Amino acid sequence: MGKTLYEKLWDAHVVKELSDDRAILFVDRHLLHEGVATYAFSGLEARNRKVLRPDLTIGVADHVVSTTSRAAGITYEDDDARRMVEDIERHCEAAGIDVYSVRNPRQGIVHVVGPELGFALPGVLLVCGDSHTSTHGAFGALAFGIGISEVEHVLATQSIVQKKSRSMRVCVEGPLPEGATAKDLILTILHRVGVAGGTGHVIEYQGEAVRGFSMEQRMTLCNMSIEAGARAGMVAPDQTTFDYLKGRKYAPSGAAWGTAVAAWEALESDADAAFDTEVIIPAHDVAPYVTWGTNPGQALPISERVPDPAEFTNESERRSIADALAYMGLTAGQRLRDIEIDHAFIGSCTNGRIEDLRAAAAIAKGRKVAENTTAWVVPGSGLVKAQAEREGLDQIFAEAGFEWREPGCSMCLAMNGDKLLPGQRSASTSNRNFEGRQGRGVRSHLMSPAMAAAAAVTGRLTDIRELK
Amino acid sequence: MDPISRHSGIAAPLPLSDVNTDLIYPQRYLRKPDRLAMAPYLFHDLRFDENGDPEPDFILNREPYNSATILIAGRNFGSGSSREHAPWALKAFGFRVLISSMFADIFRANCVNNGIVPAVVPEEVAQLCLEAASNPQDARFGINLETRTITHPRLGEVGFSINDSDRDRLLSGSDFVDVTLESLPDIERYEAAARSAAPWRFV
């Protein structure tokens, strides 16, 4: 019987089999951000350990970095934030690790910067102390998030001990309908499988819609695999992948490029490979989606109404819906498109790439942000920001009344000073609508960049198709 | 890492499913440098109101659960962010054992790396444990990691599951990095072979 792509990647990285279905796997690429570096390096120092392979790690500052204007210098939320940025710079420089911190023009979100540098490649095993590391699976890499103890382990040993996961195939049949994006597809999948539906699995996304996706869209899709509880998400590499990577800083060049592409072309699941779990998504079921609740699986098409807990027979489901509605300040049966917002946030490792900003700008163009609504655009990296400015997107946003900010994680997780006030409601392109995610008591609705821009200009959750 | 084999203590019931690490440890405290001093932030927004006063109804604010060392949680505990601050804060509060019908993958690994036992039980057993623990007189549970059993005066002895490897590491308290460093020659051999077979994998 054939092998899945995941099995091929697993087998190719086994240094040593251990008991209990575990193995020591070689780590080809390690991304480090300042939110974990402080702790991991202090752990190494306390035990007098060295970084084994500094050339296979890069450092990026993103989580605590302020996204307010840096024209007059960088400001921090507090001294702890400043110290974390200084720590990653100091430790990386001492260890010989390339670091893209706040003064580097490429600085941005680790999952945006890594791909821009060609650091994530097909066939590699890539880890980072951040759950959204699943993003890099878009390149046909085995990419997953790890804890801080594991970051320390990778720094000291260039390997990771893992237990083999089960495999899941999510096959999207047919092309996506008009107005639907990769974000809507992943919200559809999360609605279908639930936030624990992928636990213990690595997901491979297949099908016509996925094949037709750009790298940006594939990254959006893989990014939120963790929201289904999956260890990783991946898409087999193809010409789209190779075209994206060619010429990037850490990608192979010269004769090595041809050798690499020849190896990458073989990276796909065999036709007779068996997956432990199969999910089929008819693409015509995908529509512009928004979340109404407090986890990303609590999502529905924008044309629907807020669910009524009374209509559910399962006690725990009824309770979780009722709790979510109470936190979100919503009424059962209310139309999603009547929900008014205070703030729109366009950015994050899910949707802070150039295509995302183009999609939002297309809606913002010639319109104005609604009264009593604020709207932020936070580019995912310095390169995204520069590219958007070359294309005049910043001007379109400025004329429409959106605030154009510096790169960083920003209001995706509100640990950098960017946050809302209790009770405020946000239309957000990020990946988590958990309680308190964008500030204590803040109510977050997840959606695509075009949908968030539409919400910004109407002041309520809006069906993008109404604005066409 | 401090080893653990048997443990007895007060079990706090938290019958919520899909409790994510943002709820266990809110992100605005992620910059706190001292992992041993993170107990005040554990479940912060459930434990304290907006003025910082304890919520009287929250389980960890009530006797005897304010001295709990075992947490009985709903399904899919520890989902979301990979933040290790969640198990650090649980440990700092005093928790050594967590019982649930399902833990999120990264969170489970983080627990083991910090000497916390993630004990998995079937959903119906989790419900029985939650019910038993909700009576303060019945809140004392015993755990035996060697035999993978939970003991309770009313429930008797019930089994839980945990990987052999996770169990062995918790029992021995051995250092994760030191154990792998014993395989350093294997790692070096692997790399030499991979470098000639697939040079593009190396920067």
Side-chain angles (χ1 to χ4, degrees):
Chain A
M1 192 162 63
K3 286 185 189 176
T4 65
L5 175 58
Y6 168 58
E7 287 166 334
K8 291 180 185 182
L9 292 178
W10 173 278
D11 290 350
H13 287 87
V14 172
V15 168
K16 191 177 184 180
E17 303 273 3
L18 303 172
S19 64
D20 212 9
D21 215 12
R22 292 172 313 136
I24 299 177
L25 303 177
F26 189 79
V27 172
D28 298 307
R29 297 287 187 275
H30 180 205
L31 286 158
L32 195 60
H33 65 83
E34 84 288 7
V36 303
T38 291
Y39 303 101
F41 280 113
S42 69
L44 284 182
E45 274 182 350
R47 291 171 191 79
N48 205 15
R49 288 176 179 141
K50 294 267 175 289
V51 179
L52 187 67
R53 291 297 304 273
D55 56 327
L56 300 181
T57 297
I58 61 172
V60 179
D62 57 3
H63 280 63
V64 308
V65 172
S66 166
T67 66
T68 53
S69 172
R70 291 172 198 162
I74 301 154
T75 53
Y76 291 94
E77 174 73 348
D78 58 20
D79 287 343
D80 288 332
R82 175 189 301 278
R83 200 173 307 126
M84 283 181 135
V85 171
E86 288 170 355
D87 277 355
I88 193 170
E89 292 173 355
R90 178 168 57 87
H91 287 295
C92 284
E93 278 156 24
I97 293 170
D98 287 353
V99 61
Y100 301 86
S101 189
V102 290
R103 283 162 207 85
N104 191 296
R106 285 180 175 271
Q107 179 269 335
I109 309 171
V110 66
H111 308 309
V112 178
V113 175
E116 284 175 349
L117 287 165
F119 195 68
L121 298 176
V124 301
L125 190 154
L126 181 151
V127 297
C128 173
D130 185 274
S131 63
H132 290 107
T133 306
S134 60
T135 309
H136 308 273
F139 290 86
L142 175 55
F144 51 88
I146 56 177
I148 295 173
S149 308
E150 292 176 311
V151 169
E152 203 178 316
H153 184 279
V154 174
L155 288 171
T157 71
Q158 201 55 38
S159 70
I160 186 90
V161 176
Q162 285 288 296
K163 193 173 165 69
K164 205 165 183 179
S165 298
R166 292 190 293 270
S167 61
M168 178 188 282
R169 168 161 50 196
V170 174
C171 190
V172 187
E173 293 183 336
L176 292 190
E178 185 70 21
T181 65
K183 184 62 161 289
D184 302 300
L185 172 58
I186 188 64
L187 289 174
T188 305
I189 294 168
L190 290 165
H191 174 63
R192 272 279 297 280
V193 306
V195 291
T199 302
H201 288 81
V202 167
I203 302 175
E204 181 179 344
Y205 299 99
Q206 295 184 354
E208 183 184 343
V210 178
R211 281 284 135 234
F213 277 169
S214 64
M215 287 316 298
E216 279 88 346
Q217 291 168 307
R218 292 179 192 185
M219 284 189 258
T220 300
L221 180 64
C222 290
N223 174 275
M224 289 184 70
S225 304
I226 183 70
E227 308 308 335
R231 196 85 184 105
M234 53 174 63
V235 175
D238 58 13
Q239 197 58 44
T240 303
T241 323
F242 312 147
D243 291 345
Y244 178 97
L245 287 171
K246 192 156 196 207
R248 295 196 183 257
K249 182 173 175 181
Y250 296 105
S253 57
W257 173 256
T259 317
V261 170
W264 296 344
E265 280 171 342
L267 290 171
E268 60 181 352
S269 289
D270 295 327
D272 59 342
F275 290 82
D276 298 298
T277 309
E278 297 265 5
V279 176
I280 292 176
I281 304 284
H284 58 72
D285 283 1
V286 183
Y289 259 64
V290 294
T291 62
W292 53 267
T294 53
N295 74 51
Q298 291 176 322
L300 283 170
I302 180 69
S303 55
E304 302 272 324
R305 291 168 182 271
V306 172
D308 184 349
E311 287 170 13
F312 292 79
T313 50
N314 177 298
E315 173 56 32
S316 95
E317 196 170 11
R318 192 162 53 216
R319 181 174 167 172
S320 85
I321 293 171
D323 286 351
L325 294 188
Y327 178 85
M328 293 296 289
L330 297 174
T331 320
Q334 183 178 3
R335 290 198 311 179
L336 291 169
R337 46 183 295 243
D338 291 339
I339 297 172
E340 294 184 356
I341 63 154
D342 302 294
H343 198 281
F345 167 65
I346 295 162
S348 84
C349 60
T350 317
N351 282 125
R353 298 182 177 81
I354 188 68
E355 282 191 7
D356 301 314
L357 303 197
R358 287 178 190 146
I363 298 297
K365 190 167 188 172
R367 296 191 168 96
K368 291 279 181 211
V369 171
E371 262 184 62
N372 304 321
T373 305
T374 55
W376 287 11
V377 184
V378 183
S381 72
L383 291 198
V384 170
K385 183 168 188 260
Q387 174 72 28
E389 288 173 355
R390 275 198 298 278
E391 295 179 16
L393 304 185
D394 59 325
Q395 285 307 312
I396 293 173
F397 286 125
E399 280 161 23
F402 289 71
E403 194 173 323
W404 180 246
R405 297 178 68 96
E406 299 287 344
C409 295
S410 186
M411 210 185 283
C412 176
L413 86 168
M415 70 173 287
N416 38 48
D418 295 355
K419 57 176 183 276
L420 297 177
L421 300 171
Q424 284 193 312
R425 190 180 297 283
S426 132
S428 176
T429 66
S430 54
N431 38 47
R432 285 185 177 143
N433 50 341
F434 296 159
E435 292 184 20
R437 180 76 179 177
Q438 297 190 289
R440 182 168 182 153
V442 175
R443 296 152 172 169
S444 306
H445 296 270
L446 306 180
M447 62 197 73
S448 73
M451 288 282 285
V457 299
T458 62
R460 59 175 173 80
L461 303 190
T462 298
D463 190 333
I464 184 71
R465 294 164 297 193
E466 283 174 34
L467 295 185
K468 286 283 156 89
Chain B
M1 188 172 94
D2 37 343
I4 177 167
S5 60
R6 282 158 186 262
H7 179 81
S8 165
I10 299 295
L14 190 72
L16 303 171
S17 54
D18 302 318
V19 169
N20 57 65
T21 56
D22 284 53
L23 210 54
I24 302 173
Y25 193 94
Q27 62 275 18
R28 60 186 183 279
Y29 305 117
L30 287 176
R31 303 186 301 264
K32 298 288 178 188
D34 184 358
R35 62 187 83 178
L36 302 176
M38 289 178 178
Y41 315 112
L42 177 68
F43 294 118
H44 185 278
D45 294 353
L46 300 175
R47 266 167 82 197
F48 304 102
D49 67 16
E50 277 165 38
N51 302 319
D53 297 322
E55 293 279 5
D57 289 342
F58 187 67
I59 192 77
L60 299 184
N61 291 333
R62 286 161 31 197
E63 295 271 358
Y65 306 106
N66 51 2
S67 57
T69 55
I70 300 168
L71 184 72
I72 304 172
R75 186 173 176 275
N76 193 29
F77 189 72
S79 56
S81 169
S82 60
R83 67 187 61 161
E84 201 155 315
H85 306 62
W88 287 339
L90 286 161
K91 184 104 183 263
F93 186 91
F95 287 111
R96 293 303 306 272
V97 177
L98 312 178
I99 298 171
S100 171
S101 61
M102 184 199 267
F103 293 99
D105 285 343
I106 306 175
F107 178 79
R108 189 191 50 73
N110 283 339
C111 285
V112 173
N113 287 336
N114 287 283
I116 298 173
V117 180
V120 177
V121 294
E123 183 61 38
E124 54 279 16
V125 173
Q127 290 303 325
L128 290 172
C129 292
L130 283 168
E131 277 168 39
S134 63
N135 181 351
Q137 273 82 49
D138 280 344
R140 183 163 285 273
F141 280 60
I143 303 291
N144 186 332
L145 185 57
E146 308 231 19
T147 57
R148 295 184 170 99
T149 48
I150 299 168
T151 48
H152 182 265
R154 220 157 51 72
L155 299 176
E157 204 169 83
V158 288
F160 67 85
S161 55
I162 186 166
N163 301 328
D164 289 347
S165 50
D166 287 351
R167 187 187 69 153
D168 295 347
R169 281 194 48 217
L170 287 161
L171 286 171
S172 68
S174 57
D175 187 286
F176 182 37
V177 176
D178 280 343
V179 171
T180 301
L181 283 174
E182 289 169 18
S183 298
L184 195 57
D186 298 295
I187 296 170
E188 286 166 350
R189 256 194 307 280
Y190 171 92
E191 191 195 322
R195 195 179 271 284
S196 62
W200 50 268
R201 277 172 56 188
F202 296 86
V203 173

